[in-house]
């Protein structure tokens, strides 16, 4: 029996900052961003948006099709947690009207946890093939102003329905893992922004790729040449390009630089204009591939490299299902991205600095999102979500 991704939909904020604007203020060459890190725009969450509202927006089209009662488990992956105890997915459970018999849990391990959620969801479905599990990855990537990480911010959520006989991607059971206790990127409880050792993080990313791939090769019969495309975790597009060149070199693949780049190019379109969305980024990359690849890739093997700082990494594989192109949300995604509003540097700063009370003060939050769900206020330490 095959198990995997039956449907996929993503959401990002209606605001973005063009990295040319950031470069101008910083008196940096915009090509450092457009070419050097491969990023053009970064999504900025509206004041009344957070991982919960983005997640509910991402999942709405899936729930509208299968019905709220079809979901047996909701797994919520994030590293932008809003509570140390309550899972963000419990708010989403209410906003989407899921059944009270549906279990909810939140998963964390930096940008990797959505992959853990998917593997666990596949195991649950393999045990009970009539069940459907909703996996949502949702994050707001935030670094301190005037740091090298600033240009790699972004926000987004992706919702995936995991089922038996999936219509998009069959996921293979063999995986290669790599875990090491390192401090390349982390966010202590008392901080709203991440701390990062930028250059070191890129080195650990590449090392983890090599190690996870080696483990994958031990457990899977698939070799580099068996894959048509590869999806990488996308902190910024250039990172995936470097990683894929690294993997091709390790495997002595007889491909030109252009052929190697072509194996990941279509996974990068959305990330370039959304920015880093941490747990969601690789799966928004998969959506980008399925929705933008000009050839029909049914039957192709896709390789996935999921990386979460700290660090845990995983290489796994899947096969694109025949007829997949009929079950995408390409038009809705295009409309959402086309309708976004560019912000000035001053507007960016005001979105960046919008109050997120940490000491119990109550606030009403101005309307800013064009999404269906919003965070209307915080009162008595309780977040108040509403649907419009
Ligand atoms: N034209 C074209 N290219 C230019 C340029 C110009 N005018 N100016 C610079 N560049 C190039 C540089 O040569 C460099 O390319 P190479 O890497 O190929 O040498 C690239 O642009 C970036 O320039 P710098 O190395 O000078 O950039 P930086 O040091 O200011 O910042 C960074 C780079 C450290 C990665 C920073 O973006 C950062 O800290 N990002 C956040 C951390 C991160 O994303 N790490 C990735 C791995 S960790 C992970 O994946 C988890 C996660 O999601 C965070």
């Amino acid at each position: 029996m095959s198990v995997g991704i039956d449907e996929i939909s993503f959401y990002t904020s209606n605001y973005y900052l063009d990295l040319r604007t950031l470069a101008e203020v910083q008196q940096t060459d915009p090509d450092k961003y457009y070419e050097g890190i491969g990023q053009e725009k970064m999504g900025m969450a509206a004041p009344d948006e957070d991982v919960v509202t983005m997640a509910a927006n991402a999942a709405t089209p899936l729930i509208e099709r299968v019905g709220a009662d079809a979901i047996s488990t909701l797994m919520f992956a994030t590293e932008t947690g809003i509570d140390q105890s309550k899972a963000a997915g419990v708010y989403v459970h209410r906003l989407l009207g899921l059944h009270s018999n549906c279990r909810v849990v939140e998963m964390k391990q930096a940008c990797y946890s959505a992959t853990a959620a998917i593997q666990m969801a596949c195991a649950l479905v393999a045990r009970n093939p009539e069940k459907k599990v909703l996996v949502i990855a949702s994050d707001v990537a935030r670094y301190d102003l005037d740091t090298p990480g600033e240009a790699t911010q972004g926000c987004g959520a992706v919702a995936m329905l995991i089922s038996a006989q999936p219509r998009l991607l069959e996921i293979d059971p063999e995986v290669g893992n790599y875990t090491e206790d390192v401090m390349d990127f982390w966010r202590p409880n008392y901080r709203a922004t991440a701390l990062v050792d930028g250059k070191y993080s890129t080195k650990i990313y590449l090392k983890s790729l090599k190690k996870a791939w080696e483990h994958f090769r031990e457990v899977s019969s698939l070799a580099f040449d068996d894959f048509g495309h590869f999806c990488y975790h996308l902190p910024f597009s250039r990172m995936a390009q470097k990683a894929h060149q690294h993997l091709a070199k390790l495997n002595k693949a007889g491909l030109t630089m252009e052929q190697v780049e072509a194996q990941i190019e279509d996974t990068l379109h959305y990330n370039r204009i959304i920015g880093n969305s941490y747990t969601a980024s690789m799966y928004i990359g998969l959506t980008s591939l399925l929705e933008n690849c000009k050839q029909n890739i049914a039957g192709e093997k896709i390789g996935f490299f999921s990386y979460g700082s700290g660090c845990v990494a995983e290489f796994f594989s899947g096969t694109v299902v025949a007829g997949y192109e009929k079950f995408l949300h390409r038009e809705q995604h295009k409309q959402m991205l086309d309708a976004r509003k560019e912000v000035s540097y001053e507007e960016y700063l005001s979105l960046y600095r919008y109050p997120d009370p940490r000491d119990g003060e109550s606030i009403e939050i101005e309307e800013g999102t064009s999404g269906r769900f919003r965070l209307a206020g915080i009162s008595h330490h309780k977040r108040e979500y509403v649907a419009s």
Side-chain angles (χ1 to χ4, degrees):
M1 181 193 53
S2 64
V3 178
I5 302 176
D6 186 63
E7 193 169 353
I8 191 164
S9 154
F10 76 91
Y11 174 85
T12 187
S13 165
N14 44 304
Y15 298 112
Y16 71 86
L17 180 75
D18 194 308
L19 291 179
R20 288 189 200 284
T21 307
L22 185 66
E24 198 180 310
V25 173
Q26 295 176 334
Q27 299 184 319
T28 305
D29 181 350
D31 281 350
K32 171 170 177 182
Y33 299 144
Y34 270 62
E35 303 294 330
I37 63 168
Q39 292 298 121
E40 298 173 11
K41 298 169 182 173
M42 60 187 192
M44 288 300 297
D48 53 347
E49 246 169 0
D50 68 2
V51 290
V52 168
T53 61
M54 291 196 305
N57 282 314
T60 294
L62 277 50
I63 298 305
E64 281 174 350
R65 185 181 68 80
V66 292
D69 290 351
I71 308 299
S72 62
T73 298
L74 163 56
M75 297 177 122
F76 193 106
T78 187
E79 59 182 293
T80 324
I82 50 164
D83 194 294
Q84 293 286 17
S85 170
K86 179 168 174 160
V90 177
Y91 298 106
V92 177
H93 179 279
R94 175 175 62 81
L95 293 174
L96 296 178
L98 301 186
H99 199 282
S100 55
N101 294 141
C102 166
R103 69 159 80 81
V104 179
V105 69
E106 182 168 317
M107 321 249 325
K108 180 176 72 178
Q109 176 21 58
C111 307
Y112 164 71
S113 62
T115 299
I118 284 181
Q119 296 294 0
M120 290 174 194
C122 286
L124 283 173
V125 172
R127 195 167 166 188
N128 277 306
E130 77 286 0
K131 303 278 186 199
K132 292 187 196 309
V133 178
L134 179 61
V135 172
I136 309 181
S138 183
D139 269 308
V140 178
R142 276 205 159 189
Y143 295 89
D144 284 339
L145 298 175
D146 301 321
T147 61
E150 183 180 3
T152 66
Q153 299 175 108
C155 64
V158 63
M160 293 167 278
L161 203 59
I162 306 300
S163 76
Q165 315 300 347
R167 298 171 308 162
L168 301 182
L169 185 86
E170 294 173 353
I171 296 179
D172 300 326
E174 298 81 12
V175 300
N177 289 112
Y178 181 70
T179 298
E180 185 182 349
D181 183 3
V182 290
M183 296 303 280
D184 60 330
F185 168 105
W186 67 106
R187 184 166 72 84
N189 287 343
Y190 46 83
R191 285 185 61 98
T193 50
L195 294 164
V196 62
D197 188 343
K199 298 279 185 211
Y200 178 58
S201 71
T202 62
K203 288 197 174 80
I204 292 288
Y205 181 115
L206 295 180
K207 177 184 174 186
S208 304
L209 169 62
K210 178 172 183 285
K211 297 285 188 180
W213 172 254
E214 284 168 357
H215 184 214
F216 178 78
R217 290 287 287 124
E218 284 169 28
V219 297
S220 167
S221 59
L222 296 171
F224 185 87
D225 294 343
D226 294 319
F227 293 98
H229 287 87
F230 293 78
C231 293
Y232 286 82
H233 166 53
L234 295 171
F236 49 93
S237 295
R238 191 85 188 98
M239 184 75 239
Q241 288 170 331
K242 281 190 175 184
H244 194 49
Q245 294 288 355
H246 185 61
L247 191 67
K249 206 165 155 197
L250 284 174
N251 285 282
K252 301 185 174 51
L255 301 175
T256 62
M257 183 93 115
E258 289 69 33
Q259 287 170 320
V260 173
E261 286 202 354
Q263 291 183 317
I264 62 163
E265 181 52 32
D266 284 325
T267 69
L268 308 178
H269 302 301
Y270 296 151
N271 183 266
R272 279 203 178 97
I273 57 170
I274 293 175
N276 196 354
S277 53
Y278 291 158
T279 52
S281 79
M282 187 175 80
Y283 297 98
I284 293 179
L286 168 65
T287 317
S288 174
L289 171 66
L290 297 175
E291 295 182 350
N292 294 293
C293 187
K294 296 223 162 41
Q295 308 92 46
N296 186 305
I297 55 171
E300 234 184 52
K301 277 281 176 208
I302 312 289
F304 293 86
F305 176 64
S306 178
Y307 177 75
S309 289
C311 70
V312 178
E314 181 162 322
F315 195 98
F316 67 98
S317 58
T319 311
V320 180
V321 179
Y324 74 95
E325 68 283 359
K326 299 198 286 284
F327 307 114
L328 302 171
H329 293 278
R330 191 189 282 112
E331 264 320 298
Q332 291 96 313
H333 291 149
K334 186 177 176 326
Q335 278 170 21
M336 174 181 67
L337 292 168
D338 289 350
R340 294 190 306 165
K341 175 180 178 289
E342 180 176 352
V343 295
S344 65
Y345 183 71
E346 290 67 33
E347 289 167 321
Y348 155 70
L349 283 185
S350 121
L351 289 173
Y352 181 95
R353 294 189 171 130
Y354 199 80
D356 181 12
R358 272 146 214 282
D359 59 2
E361 87 211 66
S362 293
I363 55 165
E364 262 181 45
I365 302 178
E366 68 189 62
E367 288 191 32
T369 177
S370 58
R372 179 163 165 202
F373 302 98
R374 57 182 300 269
L375 174 63
I378 304 178
S379 148
H380 299 97
H381 301 281
K382 294 176 188 162
R383 296 171 92 82
E384 294 164 356
Y385 294 102
V386 294
S388 58

